[in-house]
Amino acid sequence: MLNVTRPSLPDLEELIPYLEEIWQSGIVTNGGKFHNELEEALKSYLGVNDISAFCNGTIALLTAIKALNISGEVITTPFTFSATAHALAWNGIKPVFADIDPTSFNLDPTRIEEAITDATTAILAVHVYGVPCDVDAIADIASRHNLKVIYDAAHAFGVNCHCGSLLNHGDASILSFHATKVFHTFEGGAVVCKSPQDQQYLERLRNFGIINEVETSGIGLNGKLNEIQASIGLLNLARLDEAIAKRKSVADVYSEGLAEIGFVEAARESRVIRDNYSYYPVLVKKNSRLTRDEICARLLAQNIRARRYFYPLVSSFDPYKRYSNQEQTPAAKDIAERIICLPIFPNMTGAEINNVLNVLSSCQ
Ligand code: T4K
């Protein structure tokens, strides 16, 4: 089966020395040597002042929301993975879904502004597929309405926008290091905060709120990344540029092939200065002979499991549907009904890419 992604794994022999050292030291978690080395390496790779590693992206987001003391209502996108809205709801916050821009697939700033009420305290925007949100417009809205901004940058590892690392925008950005991501630690995540005080408080919350053996402050949780995850991260980071270059080659072949196939359009956007090629989304045109689901079924019949990220919209899920309505976000509804994410990963072979293109071509 050709899945939407396949994780890059370091050579097993490279991992052995890390495991030996972990076994010898007996320190397997709670801020061990490799954990600290990974945080340092990530700071310099990503071009950020500080970063805190987490056990996964969802817990990273949950903790960032808590650290920033966000409450009430938060404006977010329905076109995302469920974790984005769930992290708000777990914090007792109401996610308010605003519509997206049909070219970037990210929150449309004008729709954000319309959704602001007296209860709004923050904007939680997602850089979907690693394409940067309109960070300047969002910063402007936030400062005029005194709102915090969190970016769910789960897809945006290593992405640069017009002014350097995308992660330097907003009060905090969160990353996912899940196995399906460009950079991974099997499971993992991280948070970059703008303010050093927020970063410090976040790190305390990551470890139950513990200050010292006798003092705890803040309702913390266990968000720590362990030493084996950190070792995988260090090994993957060393090969990341190579992996991203391979992803780019796959994307280039797709783009060339898709130019000949009329019923889909490549869905990429121009604000990216340095892309990570984490996903390869295509949109099925409205006048296409086959529906998106019929095309996915044809691909599956040839053992190609493309994915409909992000269909259905999160706003239609059980916890949210009682107060949200897909008709209020027509652009998101339309994109969710026409999107297909094609398989893309560093070691995808030419034959695998051609297979995908051939099936798509036969759907014309
Ligand atoms: N915010 C956003 C915007 C996100 O997209 C995500 C996660 C988060 C927050 C939360 O971050 P984490 O807490 O996950 O760190 C996958 C991922 O599990 C999820 O991390 C990701 N977004 C989401 C978009 O995709 P599924 O349910 O589609 O995963 P699954 O198991 O179907 O995997 C996809 C394909 O990958 C499989 O067909 C096979 C392949 N695969 C997967 C795994 C786990 C492998 O080849 N090896 C593997 O180990 O959610």
Side-chain angles (χ1 to χ4, degrees):
M1 179 66 73
L2 178 64
N3 286 316
V4 70
T5 189
R6 192 179 295 158
S8 318
L9 294 172
D11 291 339
L12 265 183
E13 306 82 72
E14 288 183 305
L15 182 62
I16 303 294
Y18 286 83
L19 296 180
E20 283 172 349
E21 201 172 327
I22 295 166
W23 258 242
Q24 212 164 18
S25 74
I27 303 293
V28 302
T29 187
N30 287 13
K33 176 186 168 193
F34 295 132
H35 166 276
N36 296 341
E37 278 182 19
L38 179 64
E39 287 190 338
E40 285 307 312
L42 287 171
K43 260 192 249 176
S44 97
Y45 185 91
L46 295 168
V48 294
N49 289 332
D50 208 351
I51 191 164
S52 310
F54 274 79
C55 55
N56 63 56
T58 306
I59 297 292
L61 182 53
L62 209 68
T63 314
I65 293 166
K66 181 67 102 186
L68 292 178
N69 202 17
I70 289 167
S71 61
E73 292 181 1
V74 171
I75 297 165
T76 192
T77 171
F79 190 72
T80 182
F81 192 58
S82 53
T84 312
H86 287 349
L88 293 170
W90 267 85
N91 273 297
I93 293 164
K94 180 181 176 189
V96 173
F97 299 101
D99 208 359
I100 61 170
D101 171 308
T103 53
S104 69
F105 306 159
N106 292 327
L107 271 177
D108 179 340
T110 57
R111 300 282 98 84
I112 295 176
E113 197 140 20
E114 287 166 7
I116 294 172
T117 70
D118 289 346
T120 309
T121 60
I123 300 162
L124 170 52
V126 182
H127 304 299
V128 177
Y129 311 136
V131 172
C133 292
D134 191 342
V135 288
D136 294 332
I138 290 175
D140 176 55
I141 294 169
S143 83
R144 282 190 286 108
H145 295 271
N146 196 22
L147 304 176
K148 298 246 167 92
V149 178
I150 298 191
Y151 284 108
D152 179 339
H155 304 170
F157 190 98
V159 170
N160 286 354
C161 61
H162 57 302
C163 56
S165 173
L166 187 54
L167 303 173
N168 289 323
H169 291 277
D171 296 285
S173 294
I174 74 102
L175 291 162
S176 164
F177 303 159
H178 184 260
T180 53
K181 299 296 189 294
V182 164
F183 166 77
H184 75 87
T185 57
F186 286 6
E187 291 273 4
V191 181
V192 172
C193 295
K194 178 161 279 167
S195 123
Q197 290 76 22
D198 287 343
Q199 195 88 39
Q200 222 178 355
Y201 183 44
L202 172 101
E203 292 200 351
R204 199 197 304 156
L205 293 181
R206 177 179 65 178
N207 189 28
F208 309 102
I210 292 174
I211 298 174
N212 56 41
E213 281 185 26
V214 292
E215 286 175 288
T216 288
S217 171
I219 303 170
L221 42 58
N222 181 355
K224 290 166 279 137
L225 183 91
N226 69 45
E227 287 293 90
I228 295 186
Q229 291 169 292
S231 308
I232 300 285
L234 285 166
L235 290 167
N236 280 341
L237 196 61
R239 296 267 169 83
L240 191 64
D241 286 341
E242 193 188 321
I244 291 176
K246 287 180 175 173
R247 284 177 177 274
K248 178 179 186 316
S249 308
V250 176
D252 287 347
V253 180
Y254 269 144
S255 299
E256 206 174 303
L258 286 170
E260 311 290 313
I261 300 174
F263 72 93
V264 284
E265 49 196 341
R268 297 218 67 83
E269 220 263 350
S270 60
R271 267 197 296 275
V272 188
I273 303 296
R274 177 175 184 256
D275 201 344
N276 65 8
Y277 304 93
S278 48
Y279 292 86
Y280 197 99
V282 294
L283 270 187
V284 176
K285 286 187 183 163
K286 287 182 182 162
N287 59 358
S288 147
R289 181 172 69 85
L290 300 181
T291 64
R292 184 271 311 273
D293 290 354
E294 285 166 342
I295 296 164
C296 286
R298 292 254 186 132
L299 287 163
L300 196 56
Q302 298 304 315
N303 292 321
I304 299 164
R305 190 180 289 136
R307 294 293 291 264
R308 295 169 297 175
Y309 295 133
F310 290 100
Y311 169 86
L313 295 178
V314 175
S315 49
S316 72
F317 290 156
D318 200 43
Y320 311 113
K321 69 178 183 211
R322 75 198 143 77
Y323 68 85
S324 62
N325 175 348
Q326 292 192 69
E327 306 309 321
Q328 293 159 346
T329 57
K333 180 171 184 281
D334 173 50
I335 300 297
E337 282 168 1
R338 297 193 292 123
I339 197 80
I340 307 178
C341 286
L342 301 180
I344 184 166
F345 48 89
N347 290 329
M348 198 170 168
T349 64
E352 286 173 324
I353 306 169
N354 282 335
N355 254 349
V356 175
L357 288 170
N358 287 340
V359 177
L360 290 178
S361 183
S362 74
C363 295
Q364 293 198 82

